Amino acid sequence: MSPDMDPPTSPMPPRHTGSVQEPEMPAAPSPAPSPQAVSNSLVVPVLIGAAVAVALGVYGRLHEPTGFAVNLAGFSSTGYVKAWLATIATLFGIVQLLSSLVMYGRLLAAAPPWIDSLHRWSGRLAVLASVPVAMHCLYALGFQAYSARVLVHSLAGCLFYGAFTTKMLCLTRPNLPRGALPVLGGLAFTGLVVLWLTSSLWLFSTKGLKF
Amino acid sequence: MRTRGPILTLLAVVVLALVLLAVNLTTAKDSSSQAAANAAATPAPGAAPAPGAAPAPGSAPGQTPGAPQAGGTSTFPPQATYTGKTSGRKAGEATVAVAVHNGKASAYLCDGKKLESWLEGKAEGSSLKLTGKGGNKLTGTLESKTVTGTVTIDGATWPFSASPGKAPAGLYRARTANVDAGWIIRQDGTQTGVQNIGGQASEAPELDPSAGSAVLGGTTVPVKMIEGGDATAVGR
């Protein structure tokens, strides 16, 4: 369950035999890490990730929405550009979920050697596809609460980038608690799916499926 | 030797975001300096200077109504469009849009099914006062570039809020003797419209704002973008 956090597996495999199963790495640290060190390794990434989430929300709330921002050519409207980019991000997010399940040995008996790369790169593409959408949201629309859908969407956007940041930072840390990466990946994946449901799906179902 | 991949990924995200922000800021600067130029060119006959401001012609260019205001209450710029929606309407929120032009204002509310109403009135200082058919009315205040207020249609009152939008966001109307249709295009490009054909209201067909016309009930009718104060004159 690592939406965009593709790189999750990458850090580990290199250090260990590089076997795909290594994501279970958290178990590997067992040689010595004190519980203290294990939880300490999470503190800084979580604080930074939380700061990112809050900063996005505050910026979205305080910045006066311009009601407009740069757009991509070739689509019928900005809304559809965003809806399709978000759909791409979500599809890569699903690849993230599946590939992480494989890496953790929950899906296939033997993980193919390319699964790490698949996980890393699908995550990178997912998050990069999401950036133009998020920038438009932040710059042109802002953090809004005029309906339940919009409020949930605003919150999910902050959650997603906060969880993403935390996960990226965690990947660079030793002695991670066993469940840290799956939980962070799961949070980011949840955020991404909620974002898609409250925007793209909403647009497609109310205004039609088109480009 | 820790992996640098995740950090590079984070950096890539930040760089992409900053590039987009920079492009946005540049674009916004262009359009706001253009707006400022427009504002300067139009000494705004009816554009109500803030109460208390010396009404002397040519007074304080800094007081140009179009000048961006730092938060708080502000005065309406010479030309602006706001789109948003009602809140608390049980049958589903209706879309609301207001266009302001040199102190005159037009507003349109519709639910994309059959409820719709055009209103006209004034934008003075930071306040909006518009009236429509029957006892329909809309009042609002501009604060931090967002209009909030209440709108009363057919005896029911709902609060609404609307934020500024740039074309093609706005209000559109097409009217002939037999047909009357209105659309609101929001900042995000989504639109809501209602058409009245021979007195029957229904959802309007999707409007292509660049086409300048729409096919309503089998006839092609010119569509006008409402600038403010000109909504009731369409097709008349």
Side-chain angles (χ1 to χ4, degrees), chain A residues 7 11 15 64-70 79 124 127-128 131-132 135 139 146 164 168-169 171-173 203 207 210, chain B residues 2-3 5-7 9-10 13 16-17 20-21 23-25 27-28 69 71 85 144-145 164 187-188 190-191 206:
Chain A
R15 295 165 52 216
E64 289 182 11
T66 58
F68 132 109
V70 286
R124 283 181 187 139
V127 76
L128 287 177
V131 171
M135 281 309 295
Y139 191 78
Y146 57 78
F164 165 73
M168 288 300 101
L169 293 174
L171 288 174
T172 66
R173 300 235 146 197
L203 183 69
K207 295 295 168 187
K210 61 181 183 183
Chain B
R2 301 253 98 225
T3 312
I7 299 298
T9 306
L10 266 180
V13 167
L16 177 58
L20 290 170
L21 182 64
V23 173
N24 272 327
L25 287 176
T27 320
Q69 308 268 340
K85 53 167 72 171
S144 297
K145 292 200 175 168
Q187 299 86 290
D188 63 3
T190 56
Q191 59 170 267
E206 177 133 5

Side-chain angles (χ1 to χ4, degrees), chain B residues 36-53:
Chain B
N38 290 346
T42 346

Side-chain angles (χ1 to χ4, degrees), chain A residues 29 33 35 46 74 104 120 125 133 137 144 155 166 186-187 190:
Chain A
V46 167
Y104 280 76
R120 247 171 272 150
L125 293 174
V133 184
C137 286
Q144 303 290 347
L155 289 171
T166 308
L187 272 179
T190 305

Side-chain angles (χ1 to χ4, degrees), chain B:
Chain B
M1 283 293 284
R2 301 253 98 225
T3 312
R4 280 181 308 169
I7 299 298
L8 292 177
T9 306
L10 266 180
L11 280 179
V13 167
V14 171
V15 167
L16 177 58
L18 288 180
V19 166
L20 290 170
L21 182 64
V23 173
N24 272 327
L25 287 176
T26 326
T27 320
K29 227 171 258 163
D30 290 351
S31 54
S32 70
S33 59
Q34 218 164 24
N38 290 346
T42 346
S59 70
Q63 290 256 349
T64 314
Q69 308 268 340
T73 308
S74 35
T75 51
F76 280 104
Q79 176 77 68
T81 303
Y82 304 86
T83 64
K85 53 167 72 171
T86 59
S87 58
R89 183 170 179 257
K90 292 210 178 77
E93 301 304 346
T95 311
V96 181
V98 182
V100 173
H101 182 57
N102 289 344
K104 291 182 195 156
S106 297
Y108 184 54
L109 173 145
C110 72
D111 67 351
K113 291 168 193 146
K114 58 182 185 179
L115 180 78
E116 60 143 13
S117 180
W118 284 98
L119 306 108
E120 295 239 288
K122 288 180 180 172
E124 288 179 330
S126 65
S127 72
L128 272 181
K129 251 188 191 145
L130 295 85
T131 54
K133 279 186 189 164
N136 294 352
K137 62 182 180 185
L138 179 150
T139 57
T141 314
L142 180 68
E143 202 172 316
S144 297
K145 292 200 175 168
T146 301
V147 176
T148 52
T150 57
V151 57
T152 304
I153 306 292
D154 301 336
T157 301
W158 308 285
F160 76 92
S161 78
S163 47
K166 295 222 157 94
L171 304 65
Y172 297 82
R173 187 173 198 177
R175 181 155 66 161
T176 65
N178 192 39
V179 172
D180 187 359
W183 294 264
I184 293 169
I185 298 185
R186 286 193 289 267
Q187 299 86 290
D188 63 3
T190 56
Q191 59 170 267
T192 317
V194 167
Q195 59 177 359
N196 266 292
I197 298 177
Q200 284 286 7
S202 62
E203 177 173 13
E206 177 133 5
L207 173 69
D208 175 0
S210 58
S213 65
V215 179
L216 302 166
T219 32
T220 302
V221 183
V223 175
K224 186 174 184 317
M225 182 173 189
I226 303 304
E227 295 186 326
D230 52 350
T232 48
V234 175
R236 288 290 139 89

